[in-house]
Amino acid sequence: MDISAEIKKVTDPIYQKISSTVPEIEWATYAPYIYKINRLKKEKNAVILAHNYQTPEIYHGISDFSADSLALAIEASKTKADIIIMCGVHFMAETAKLMSPNKKVLLPDMSAGCSLSSSITGEDVRNLKKQYPGVPVVSYVNTSADVKAETDVCCTSANAVKIVNSLKVKKVIFLPDDYLAKYVASQTDVEIISWKGTCEVHEQFNDEEINEIRKNNPGIKIIAHPECPPDVIKASDFTGSTSGMIKYVKDKQPEKVMMVTECSMSDNVQIDNPKVKFIRPCNLCPHMKKITLPKILDCLENETNEIVMDDITIKKARNSVERMVKIGR
Ligand code: 13P
Ligand code: SF4
């Protein structure tokens, strides 16, 4: 069989699944990469972890495991692979390295950052600790390893309230997402000291837009990520992590839904829930979109873009992630 016939035979079943979302003309450019990546990852005993915001050809075409940040961190700690390719942003790759320090962790584009993560440094956290002595620090996993190293326990959007309550204290420093901090404060009696970080994607949504969509789509379910501003959360029917939102759609099968979050997630979830109609005003995360099939293939072939950290940072930062993983979802 010639190579193009072989590629077609191997990748056609994947295309059948995602053809409602990915045009055939685009697929023609993706298929050879998908074929090569899937072969090479087996040869190299590599695992591809993908965040829910990755585009369908990555999420459905090459990932071994796709999930929210919490599940990606847990999976990174369990994998038997020699190489982890993180299809996500820099803090996710760093978290994978913390959980598997002896494995090679690669990020297809080292400039894939996050506005939350870049809003705060380890030095900022040291200053806050001086300002509020004895108050425990809970950091969102969307932070650098330097910030995690100064943190008592990490959290994600899936377990933030549970983590804060688990500390059994009156006050916590909660970093760096001001909107997530407000959401947590609305769900707990613990006093929250927050930081002025925001997600550049979720902060763009507003309640006027949501109310308008509800008016024009009677019966629609509107589900929002907790990085959204408080008025958006108030105007929504459900708030949860990316995987929490996916579970909501899977379990409830609403006739119409709007996911108030990054665009690609609706594409991915639509593929798995063909009966649900998605209304899609959405925003793209420019960092997540830096991850592409050619970059993934290049990084897997040449083992470039490795995440490297010093042992002390790994040890200190890892403690805060391990504490979170122990408490769970
Ligand atoms: P989740 O942990 O809910 O997947 O969110 C990560 C993220 O970056 C959302 O913007
Ligand atoms: Fe960061 Fe927002 Fe992008 Fe998530 S969506 S990676 S929080 S910038």
Side-chain angles (χ1 to χ4, degrees), residues 51 53 68-70 91-92 140 142 156-157 199 202 225 227 241-242 288:
H51 185 260
Y53 292 162
D68 64 3
S69 323
L70 177 61
F91 77 80
M92 293 174 178
Y140 198 25
N142 298 38
T156 73
S157 59
C199 161
H202 291 93
H225 195 275
E227 288 168 13
S241 76
T242 55
M288 289 279 178

Side-chain angles (χ1 to χ4, degrees), residues 78 109 116 121 139 172 197 214 235 265 308 320:
K78 292 195 308 204
D109 187 323
L116 282 170
T121 63
S139 291
V172 301
R214 203 186 279 289
M265 205 165 93
V308 183
S320 64

Side-chain angles (χ1 to χ4, degrees), residues 20-256:
S20 60
T21 308
V22 178
E24 216 166 333
I25 189 149
E26 275 179 31
W27 182 252
T29 60
Y30 296 151
Y33 285 103
I34 290 177
Y35 173 81
K36 283 187 200 153
I37 292 167
N38 283 338
R39 257 179 54 162
L40 198 54
K41 77 178 180 193
K42 278 197 197 113
E43 277 167 37
K44 292 198 166 199
N45 189 27
V47 68
I48 299 185
L49 307 184
H51 185 260
N52 290 325
Y53 292 162
Q54 291 297 297
T55 42
E57 72 281 5
I58 295 174
Y59 182 98
H60 291 281
I62 56 157
S63 83
D64 298 291
F65 186 79
S66 45
D68 64 3
S69 323
L70 177 61
L72 289 177
I74 296 170
E75 187 62 22
S77 70
K78 292 195 308 204
T79 179
K80 301 252 183 308
D82 297 316
I83 299 175
I84 298 174
I85 307 260
M86 179 56 75
C87 295
V89 294
H90 195 269
F91 77 80
M92 293 174 178
E94 268 192 350
T95 308
K97 181 69 184 175
L98 296 175
M99 300 313 281
S100 278
N102 299 323
K103 296 196 190 308
K104 195 175 253 190
V105 177
L106 309 175
L107 178 64
D109 187 323
M110 286 301 224
S111 70
C114 167
S115 64
L116 282 170
S117 182
S118 61
S119 73
I120 189 158
T121 63
E123 179 69 22
D124 292 326
V125 187
R126 284 191 287 279
N127 288 336
L128 277 167
K129 290 202 281 195
K130 274 189 213 141
Q131 208 181 328
Y132 300 100
V135 178
V137 177
V138 178
S139 291
Y140 198 25
V141 75
N142 298 38
T143 46
S144 65
D146 285 341
V147 167
K148 289 186 177 81
E150 299 294 335
T151 292
D152 293 289
V153 54
C154 278
C155 73
T156 73
S157 59
N159 60 11
V161 178
K162 189 173 178 187
I163 299 276
V164 166
N165 286 335
S166 76
L167 296 174
K168 309 248 178 296
V169 292
K170 288 207 169 74
K171 208 190 270 188
V172 301
I173 299 170
F174 187 96
L175 309 167
D177 187 349
D178 194 31
Y179 290 150
L180 181 64
K182 286 195 168 69
Y183 174 70
V184 173
S186 75
Q187 307 287 314
T188 176
D189 292 331
V190 179
E191 187 188 333
I192 307 286
I193 299 158
S194 68
W195 184 255
K196 287 284 171 213
T198 50
C199 161
E200 65 189 85
V201 177
H202 291 93
E203 72 177 350
Q204 293 178 46
F205 294 107
N206 64 70
D207 60 345
E208 270 171 36
E209 177 187 18
I210 305 242
N211 292 334
E212 188 63 22
I213 285 167
R214 203 186 279 289
K215 207 172 85 197
N216 296 333
N217 296 276
I220 191 171
K221 294 294 175 201
I222 298 184
I223 62 179
H225 195 275
E227 288 168 13
C228 290
D231 55 356
V232 171
I233 290 181
K234 213 165 139 215
S236 303
D237 297 298
F238 171 80
T239 304
S241 76
T242 55
S243 290
M245 295 165 91
I246 294 174
K247 187 172 177 329
Y248 179 100
V249 174
K250 187 169 172 251
D251 293 351
K252 298 210 185 303
Q253 292 290 300
E255 216 172 287
K256 255 189 203 177

